[in-house]
Amino acid sequence: MTAPVPRPLAAVLDGSTPPGVVPWPHDRPAHEALDAARAAGWHGALLDLEGVTGKAEFMDRCAGALRLPDWFGRNWDALADCLTDLSWCPADRGRVLVVCGWRQYASAAPDDWSVAEEVIADAVGFWRDTDTGLVVVMARGREPGARTA
């Protein structure tokens, strides 16, 4: 039996709460959030940051996991542009980005992580009042099978 989807994400997926940045329990695999989103008709991606300690690797992981377009310039402005354009990403009912393994990067590069959080929050705000919102799930645990440093 699968455990119920935690309330912060469930409320977004069922439309009772606007999309935002929501937590995911440390004891639940991050892929379960992605599975729940897809089952609810949302397009989703998993951004695994396990082992990332610098901006270049963060940008590379974003490019791969999010399948960013060729014009992605691997800098903060380009990431912000990609996350507020999303014409390259199917919408379905909305978009879910599940971020796992982020704590090491946040600890190793706190200034860069602060900028990443700002870019993410701005993108969520940009899409909030649309028919296809963006929700970012911050998984506190690490994804099983994730790379180790």
Side-chain angles (χ1 to χ4, degrees), residues 37-38 40 54 63 75 81 98 115 121 134 144 147:
R38 289 179 176 156
N75 60 59
D81 289 346
V98 179
V115 175
L134 172 65
R147 291 178 278 270

Side-chain angles (χ1 to χ4, degrees), residues 9-131:
L9 180 58
V12 172
L13 297 178
D14 72 14
S16 61
T17 300
V21 178
V22 299
W24 188 255
H26 74 282
D27 60 341
R28 301 268 307 261
H31 72 82
E32 287 183 8
L34 191 59
D35 293 346
R38 289 179 176 156
W42 290 60
H43 177 79
L46 178 69
L47 176 59
D48 180 2
L49 298 177
E50 187 71 33
V52 171
T53 58
K55 179 181 173 184
E57 192 173 10
F58 173 81
M59 294 294 172
D60 287 345
R61 294 276 181 99
C62 286
L66 303 177
R67 298 183 179 149
L68 296 178
D70 292 339
W71 54 263
F72 173 56
R74 287 179 165 70
N75 60 59
W76 298 120
D77 288 339
L79 182 59
D81 289 346
C82 285
L83 293 178
T84 56
D85 174 337
L86 294 179
S87 61
W88 46 271
C89 179
D92 300 325
R93 290 191 53 218
R95 298 170 184 99
V96 175
L97 172 58
V98 179
V99 183
C100 67
W102 55 271
R103 289 181 174 210
Q104 182 179 5
Y105 180 50
S107 181
D111 291 341
D112 282 344
W113 180 247
S114 179
V115 175
E117 286 182 305
E118 185 177 327
V119 167
I120 289 168
D122 287 350
V124 167
F126 179 87
W127 292 103
R128 180 162 285 132
D129 294 325
T130 69
D131 292 336

